[in-house]
Amino acid sequence: MAKTSKTTTQPTETTKKKVSKKEVVEVPEVIQTQSAPVILKNVEVFSRFSDFDIDLFKAGKHYRLFEKFGSHITECQGVQGVYFAVWAPSAKSVSVIGNFNYWDKGSHHLFVRWDASGIWEGFIPYIGKGETYKFCIQTQDNRFIEKMDPYAQHFETPPRTASVVWDNWYEWTDSDWMAKRHTKNSLTSPMSVYEVHVGSWRRKEGNEKLTFVELADQLVNYVKEMGFTHIEFMPIMEHPYEPSWGYQVLGYFAPSSRFGTPQDFMYLVEECHKNDIGVLLDWVPSHFPGDAHGLYEYDGTHLFEHPDMRRGYHPDWKSYIFNYGRNEVRSFLISNAIYWLERYHADGLRVDAVASMLYLDYSRKHGEWEPNIFGGNHNLEAISLFKELNETIYSQFPDIQIIAEESTSFTGVSRPIYAGGLGFGQKWMMGWMNDTLNYFQRDPMYRRHHQDQLTFSTVYAFTENFMLPLSHDEIVYGKKSLIGKMPGDEWQRFANLRLLFSYMFTHPGTNLIFMGGEFGQTSEWNFEKGLDWWLLDHAPHIGIQNLMKALNNLYKTEPALYEKQFSHEGFEWIDTSDRDNSVVVYARKGNVNKEQLIIILNMTPVPRDNYRIGVPMQGIWNEVLNSDEHHFGGSGKTNKSVIMAEEIAWQGKAYSISLTIPPLGASILKVK
């Protein structure tokens, strides 16, 4: 739109003309002012919205709003410039302000559409990529508020808050990965996830953060060496408050400029794919912060957040909750999820804080919440959103994974929508995490009294498609690091951690470990500095790292550990009765019966010689992994000799073997 000092609050006769994608709208001749030295008279403005777009937007069914809203570099009548569009239905006027017009709210006004959509749009000539801008919105009570662009693809580096005109063009070269990723992300494939906080995985000299480009070299090579199949990035979307770790998002369509440009992050994703590593992104549709330049009271009213603070305010995080019943907001959220999957080639999303969305009384006392229309505590609008979200995403991207961080017993989170579920691909197994860490923190002397805490998870393990998480949440705020949770002297603590990881990787489900855990980081995670990589100068930490490499390799090469990881057919308890010795024995099975594995866990520091267990078939059994190997920092109580099954009935099996069980260790066997 040409520069003007006039404010347009009502549609004119010329702007009432209906337009399609290819049609244009004539704008009346405007007046030149001192603050607007460059003027185009009788300029025509491209509208990116067709009537069909508007209908979809109002109905909450437009899933590609990033193609319409925001700033888009384009050409109008041979003149290069930028098209702007923003949703602000209660605004009296909207203008674009930036360095290009000295932040003058009277220079570049947008026109409101005639169709009651609440969309303001316009074209500004002679500006382009890299321009900083905000929307200056005049509210109904005549306040002028300066707001970021909700659809901006790039931002100034915080604490600066302006949006930046950008594009997301990138010439991708990861076609090989994209063609085969259905084999990498399926529910019958191994998924070992390395959870990463971009700003604190590793720091440069002077405690300076690594960029996306630097991570594409260092992080990708490390993850490949360790054998993880996927990286999960904690939220990389733009956020103003760094101590939120990215979970207080404002720039939902922009990677954080702290680490580089959008294309830099695309390069990082591409390098992951070229090295056979999938990329999962943490996604936060549950809440957003109340920063003055952000989404809160965007046009002077509760536009994005629910107007009733019993539903619109989150008491735990002092943030605001999206209005999941408002069609335009639903389109915003679903479009955002699709944006990261399409434009950034993400292989999946881990949806944060799902439980807080599902329940109206989440973290609220009696009287602080309002029941739904049926008198219950379920947020029916959020449930409806999840179903629509998953149905839409999986129809367009059937080869990705949507994973729910859901901590309650809500039924059917990862079950199909047609079967009454929410339609997620996987769900974090928070019950397993809590029970397992509680068990392993106990002195081994008392574990025999708590064996049920270890075995209970298999009672419900196959009610959902579970991912086993040892995430960042478990090693902050005084909870100690993973190695810090383990009891005993130094040797026992490291042996316990090796045992924990061995149990985790042989338990049904996929796996997630937060960075640092794989080498026994001793301190709690601190987002303000890098991990303590110097610990790898010490043998016990190298041993933990070596075990993690071995477990990842075992998980990826033994079909028994992943082919039926979400089915009861893939697991069998062989013995849970030896409480006095705190020994448990179980089998993992794949499609081929002979390829099954037998896992023996000794939860005490006492080695068990000549320990007999039942096995499902005769033949020679080999020890394919022992967590007590010297290479892992153990005492070397292994079974290197041939173990021949004997025709001695034991533990309900026709055959049995006798072997040595390592102290605080795991022995994993496979028949020849």
Side-chain angles (χ1 to χ4, degrees):
M1 192 189 79
K3 300 180 180 180
T4 177
S5 60
K6 296 181 179 179
T7 299
T8 302
T9 57
Q10 297 296 328
T12 65
E13 287 303 314
T14 52
T15 61
K16 287 180 181 178
K17 177 186 173 185
K18 293 184 178 180
V19 296
S20 67
K21 224 174 186 180
K22 297 181 180 178
E23 291 177 324
V24 295
V25 178
E26 289 189 1
V27 180
E29 181 175 315
V30 295
I31 299 173
Q32 182 172 351
T33 67
Q34 288 184 347
S35 61
V38 180
I39 296 295
L40 287 183
K41 295 184 178 181
N42 297 322
V43 69
E44 293 182 329
V45 182
F46 280 104
S47 177
R48 301 179 75 90
F49 292 91
S50 67
D51 291 343
F52 187 50
D53 287 323
I54 297 300
D55 290 341
L56 289 175
F57 178 54
K58 289 180 179 179
K61 301 298 181 182
H62 202 307
Y63 304 138
R64 308 182 65 80
L65 292 178
F66 49 87
E67 295 178 346
K68 309 296 177 179
F69 282 109
S71 60
H72 298 271
I73 302 167
T74 187
E75 182 179 299
C76 179
Q77 288 190 320
V79 177
Q80 291 287 338
V82 178
Y83 167 86
F84 293 91
V86 64
W87 179 51
S90 294
K92 293 179 71 174
S93 71
V94 178
S95 61
V96 183
I97 56 176
N99 289 335
F100 62 92
N101 65 7
Y102 307 102
W103 302 91
D104 179 5
K105 65 178 180 292
S107 291
H108 293 83
H109 287 280
L110 300 182
F111 288 92
V112 65
R113 290 183 63 92
W114 60 89
D115 47 28
S117 62
I119 297 171
W120 299 74
E121 58 184 343
F123 175 82
I124 300 178
Y126 302 133
I127 65 171
K129 187 174 180 178
E131 289 283 0
T132 56
Y133 70 98
K134 287 184 180 179
F135 293 120
C136 183
I137 298 174
Q138 183 182 12
T139 65
Q140 287 296 320
D141 57 358
N142 291 318
R143 290 179 294 123
F144 287 92
I145 54 178
E146 297 180 0
K147 291 290 188 176
M148 50 150 265
D149 179 356
Y151 292 86
Q153 299 170 35
H154 196 32
F155 283 87
E156 291 185 301
T157 302
R160 292 175 294 180
T161 58
S163 306
V164 179
V165 175
W166 209 259
D167 63 54
N168 52 32
W169 182 89
Y170 189 75
E171 190 170 348
W172 289 90
T173 59
D174 62 347
S175 57
D176 288 346
W177 168 270
M178 297 299 284
K180 69 180 181 182
R181 74 173 179 179
H182 64 281
T183 66
K184 303 291 185 177
N185 293 329
S186 76
L187 296 177
T188 56
S189 300
M191 182 174 282
S192 177
V193 182
Y194 188 57
E195 186 187 23
V196 173
H197 178 259
V198 169
S200 61
W201 177 72
R202 178 171 286 168
R203 293 284 180 99
K204 294 182 284 189
E205 190 174 345
N207 203 34
E208 186 180 350
K209 300 180 182 72
L210 295 180
T211 65
F212 288 137
V213 173
E214 290 167 331
L215 287 164
D217 176 30
Q218 299 182 39
L219 174 63
V220 171
N221 286 334
Y222 178 76
V223 170
K224 184 177 182 179
E225 177 190 354
M226 292 300 300
F228 291 99
T229 66
H230 291 70
I231 297 174
E232 179 183 311
F233 289 110
M234 292 168 65
I236 52 85
M237 298 78 178
E238 195 62 83
H239 52 282
Y241 186 54
E242 201 161 4
S244 76
W245 311 333
Y247 290 100
Q248 297 269 4
V249 178
L250 278 186
Y252 273 82
F253 289 83
S256 178
S257 57
R258 294 175 176 91
F259 312 104
T261 67
Q263 282 74 16
D264 291 339
F265 183 63
M266 292 175 184
Y267 174 71
L268 172 55
V269 174
E270 183 177 71
E271 286 301 300
C272 288
H273 289 171
K274 287 182 176 180
N275 287 275
D276 267 355
I277 299 168
V279 175
L280 306 175
L281 302 180
D282 270 16
W283 185 57
V284 190
S286 50
H287 64 118
F288 59 87
D291 295 60
H293 69 285
L295 299 178
Y296 177 63
E297 292 190 345
Y298 191 80
D299 63 354
T301 67
H302 296 297
L303 189 62
F304 286 92
E305 68 274 10
H306 199 287
D308 184 341
M309 288 298 103
R310 290 175 296 179
R311 296 193 181 191
Y313 181 74
H314 202 296
D316 284 354
W317 303 312
K318 307 297 187 292
S319 55
Y320 295 90
I321 302 170
F322 285 103
N323 186 351
Y324 305 117
R326 188 163 193 169
N327 288 340
E328 297 90 344
V329 174
R330 293 167 72 95
S331 281
F332 171 84
L333 291 172
I334 297 176
S335 292
N336 184 242
I338 289 175
Y339 176 79
W340 292 102
L341 296 169
E342 178 185 295
R343 299 298 172 91
Y344 286 85
H345 287 200
D347 302 293
L349 303 173
R350 199 279 301 195
V351 184
D352 181 63
V354 169
S356 73
M357 296 173 64
L358 292 177
Y359 293 95
L360 297 168
D361 59 347
Y362 187 91
S363 288
R364 298 180 188 275
K365 299 176 183 177
H366 180 71
E368 295 179 347
W369 61 282
E370 182 183 35
N372 61 36
I373 58 174
F374 302 110
N377 65 342
H378 286 164
N379 189 332
L380 303 180
E381 295 167 345
I383 291 171
S384 170
L385 172 67
F386 282 137
K387 291 181 178 181
E388 184 176 357
L389 170 79
N390 288 318
E391 189 172 49
T392 302
I393 287 178
Y394 277 115
S395 68
Q396 297 186 33
F397 306 93
D399 53 355
I400 56 90
Q401 284 291 327
I402 306 296
I403 303 163
E405 187 221 357
E406 205 285 312
S407 56
T408 73
S409 58
F410 191 94
T411 303
V413 171
S414 61
R415 290 294 175 253
I417 295 169
Y418 64 76
L422 294 183
F424 285 94
Q426 296 182 45
K427 169 184 172 175
W428 274 20
M429 197 176 190
M430 306 297 282
W432 172 89
M433 179 273 298
N434 283 311
D435 288 345
T436 298
L437 291 181
N438 285 336
Y439 179 86
F440 272 87
Q441 289 179 88
R442 298 185 185 278
D443 189 308
M445 180 182 299
Y446 304 111
R447 287 177 178 172
R448 59 181 178 170
H449 303 299
H450 301 276
Q451 205 83 326
D452 292 345
Q453 203 168 32
L454 190 73
T455 60
F456 177 68
S457 61
T458 56
V459 172
Y460 62 94
F462 309 111
T463 59
E464 302 274 6
N465 300 331
F466 280 119
M467 173 176 281
L468 280 56
L470 293 176
S471 74
H472 65 276
D473 279 329
E474 311 318 317
I475 56 169
V476 289
Y477 300 140
K479 296 179 183 178
K480 300 181 182 178
S481 64
L482 288 179
I483 191 71
K485 298 176 190 290
M486 301 297 107
D489 58 24
E490 182 180 78
W491 188 91
Q492 290 190 20
R493 288 191 295 113
F494 279 91
N496 266 303
L497 186 57
R498 295 194 300 271
L499 178 58
L500 168 59
F501 287 152
S502 300
Y503 167 57
M504 176 183 189
F505 273 76
T506 56
H507 188 285
T510 56
N511 308 292
L512 176 141
I513 290 175
F514 184 60
M515 62 183 198
E518 80 282 3
F519 63 81
Q521 168 97 4
T522 52
S523 61
E524 285 189 350
W525 170 52
N526 182 353
F527 76 95
E528 295 182 310
K529 66 184 187 71
L531 298 177
D532 295 333
W533 294 101
W534 56 268
L535 290 172
L536 288 171
D537 293 335
H538 303 281
H541 296 278
I542 295 175
I544 294 289
Q545 190 183 59
N546 287 338
L547 175 69
M548 184 57 62
K549 293 178 184 178
L551 287 171
N552 273 325
N553 181 65
L554 185 76
Y555 178 40
K556 292 188 295 185
T557 56
E558 292 295 340
L561 293 176
Y562 61 80
E563 285 183 338
K564 296 182 177 180
Q565 58 192 343
F566 301 120
S567 170
H568 64 89
E569 296 175 345
F571 180 86
E572 178 189 0
W573 282 116
I574 293 177
D575 184 46
T576 61
S577 63
D578 191 0
R579 295 173 177 269
D580 289 340
N581 292 319
S582 296
V583 173
V584 294
V585 185
Y586 53 92
R588 290 297 308 279
K589 305 174 184 180
N591 295 328
V592 179
N593 188 50
K594 194 174 181 180
E595 291 184 348
Q596 66 179 283
L597 301 177
I598 303 296
I599 298 95
I600 307 101
L601 306 180
N602 180 7
M603 302 297 179
T604 71
V606 180
R608 310 290 175 185
D609 295 319
N610 301 315
Y611 193 94
R612 184 166 293 276
I613 65 168
V615 294
M617 64 190 77
Q618 60 182 336
I620 298 174
W621 288 81
N622 290 329
E623 190 171 62
V624 295
L625 189 143
N626 187 313
S627 67
D628 197 45
E629 292 180 30
H630 290 304
H631 183 56
F632 303 144
S635 63
K637 282 283 187 179
T638 61
N639 296 275
K640 296 301 183 185
S641 59
V642 171
I643 308 174
M644 180 66 73
E646 302 174 84
E647 200 169 344
I648 300 175
W650 202 263
Q651 295 171 340
K653 304 295 182 183
Y655 302 92
S656 61
I657 59 175
S658 179
L659 75 162
T660 296
I661 306 180
L664 290 173
S667 176
I668 303 175
L669 309 174
K670 184 179 181 181
V671 72
K672 260 190 177 181

